[in-house]
Amino acid sequence: MGTPTRRSVLSGAAAAAGLGVLARPAAADQAGRFTGKVVLITGGTSGIGEATARAFAAAGAKVAFCGRRTDRGREVERGIRATRGEATYIQADVRKPSSVQHFVGSAVQRYGRLDIAFNNAGVQISAPLHEVTLEQWDDVTNTNARGVFLTMKYQIPHMLRTGGHIIVNSSVGALIGRPNLSTYQATKQAVQALVKAAALEYGSQGIRVNAILPGITDTAMIRPPGLDDATWRRVLAYVGQENVDGLKRTATPQMIASAVLGLAGEEFAYLTGACVPVDGGIAAGRRMLTPPLP
Ligand SMILES: NC(=O)c1ccc[n+]([C@@H]2O[C@H](COP(=O)([O-])OP(=O)(O)OC[C@H]3O[C@@H](n4cnc5c(N)ncnc54)[C@H](OP(=O)(O)O)[C@@H]3O)[C@@H](O)[C@H]2O)c1
């Protein structure tokens, strides 16, 4: 539609990027930490959700995850099982109530309970508000906001029996206004409202509800198509240096997964209703996305 996208902004940055290599995965050894726990993840077919599925499985959890791409889902499932992890891919589209109900129901049927949910599936659009079509608005809001509502709606009845912890993937972008991200940011703020209200509604019944707010993370969501790996690494290094005020580097999906596992652990048993930035300091600096190129 000819509007600037976040991808095209990053593509533009490629031309000027000539900096060093970026972040390393931070995979703490968590073996056995979640043994006996059943974890549900939406959007586990790539990016942050995939990394979180792999990390929970490596830590002993039984993981059920969804996404629309069956080939990717089966590949991730095979990869986890090859490392002796327990995981099941269930095809589901979080925009559709019957699909979400089937995902949650099948997962609980297979593993017998539900302890932790990471409601992570999301899509992004970047365009000036007046150019966002109703179809785009509906697609992004139905995925990012209604999808989180639906997953919580079908997860909570199971957790009311056993207690549980829901972690929603919002975004640090929800804390600051940014041009061209109105629809995406609206959804990411909306889910924070769901998190806070649900934390109050269910806290006394043993269910905790929190949100994680990742900063700029190296996934397909932000990577321009067709860019070779070396150029992409230089772009990320440049973007991290210019936009991540604290740590001066972007995140890997494994870093965000590691934070999700941290929040899900007993160490944070008193945390609920919180929206936790894991953003390298972006929120602290109140600056985001690529500035004018030098
Ligand atoms: N990357 C970042 O910089 C960043 C920063 C802050 C927050 N986040 C958030 O992190 C979450 C994960 O994104 P990512 O960065 O890991 O990007 P990604 O690699 O594109 O992952 C998005 C995931 O969501 C799934 N998904 C999308 N629409 C879906 C639907 N209708 N039903 C079921 N699954 C669906 C995708 O699976 P299928 O395509 O197979 O359906 C995929 O597994 C998103 O909520 C995003 O907003 C990302």
Side-chain angles (χ1 to χ4, degrees):
M1 138 178 112
T3 53
T5 65
R6 188 173 177 188
R7 284 185 170 185
S8 68
V9 169
L10 294 173
S11 294
L19 303 172
V21 188
L22 116 139
R24 306 150 286 276
D29 181 10
Q30 312 232 27
R33 194 166 165 232
F34 289 95
T35 298
K37 300 289 185 192
V38 175
V39 179
L40 254 67
I41 297 172
T42 64
T45 47
S46 61
I48 294 168
E50 175 185 349
T52 308
R54 290 180 184 277
F56 269 120
K62 295 170 182 161
V63 179
F65 67 95
C66 77
R68 294 161 301 175
R69 289 169 293 169
T70 305
D71 52 341
R72 279 295 304 151
R74 295 277 171 241
E75 198 178 326
V76 173
E77 181 187 75
R78 270 197 306 277
I80 291 174
R81 290 180 180 176
T83 56
R84 298 180 175 225
E86 176 58 46
T88 301
Y89 166 69
I90 299 164
Q91 204 273 345
D93 184 331
V94 297
R95 295 169 297 186
K96 300 178 180 165
S98 59
S99 189
V100 176
Q101 193 171 17
H102 174 259
F103 167 55
V104 176
S106 306
V108 173
Q109 193 172 29
R110 176 167 176 80
Y111 290 130
R113 55 185 287 134
L114 171 55
D115 299 294
I116 297 163
F118 181 42
N119 296 334
N120 157 80
V123 292
Q124 187 187 72
I125 178 181
S126 178
L129 192 148
H130 76 283
E131 292 184 11
V132 176
T133 65
L134 259 186
E135 288 73 22
Q136 289 171 323
W137 167 268
D138 286 345
D139 185 55
V140 176
T141 58
N142 285 344
T143 306
N144 296 5
R146 187 164 100 153
V148 168
F149 162 75
L150 287 172
T151 45
M152 290 171 72
K153 177 177 171 60
Y154 292 116
Q155 289 159 351
I156 286 168
H158 296 288
M159 290 187 171
L160 284 172
R161 290 197 280 276
T162 55
H165 188 180
I166 295 172
I167 300 173
V168 171
N169 197 343
S170 175
S171 168
V172 71
L175 298 180
I176 45 185
R178 292 301 310 173
N180 299 325
L181 288 173
S182 56
T183 306
Y184 179 75
Q185 292 189 332
T187 65
K188 294 301 184 178
Q189 285 196 355
V191 297
Q192 291 186 32
L194 290 179
V195 161
K196 289 174 187 172
L200 301 178
E201 290 170 23
Y202 301 106
S204 64
Q205 297 168 84
I207 303 175
R208 295 186 296 117
V209 190
N210 292 293
I212 191 165
L213 282 55
I216 304 166
T217 308
D218 177 12
T219 70
M221 181 172 279
I222 68 163
R223 180 170 175 160
L227 212 60
D228 65 83
D229 289 348
T231 307
W232 179 231
R233 280 198 298 275
R234 286 198 298 280
V235 173
L236 282 176
Y238 173 77
V239 168
Q241 189 67 31
E242 295 297 327
N243 296 285
V244 185
D245 286 346
L247 297 182
K248 297 288 182 190
R249 54 192 165 91
T250 57
T252 63
Q254 290 77 15
M255 289 173 187
I256 306 303
S258 178
V260 173
L261 266 69
L263 287 179
E266 281 308 306
E267 295 86 344
F268 283 93
Y270 198 60
L271 187 78
T272 198
C275 299
V276 183
V278 181
D279 66 345
I282 290 174
R286 298 279 155 172
R287 193 156 69 97
M288 196 178 168
L289 298 186
T290 311
L293 299 178

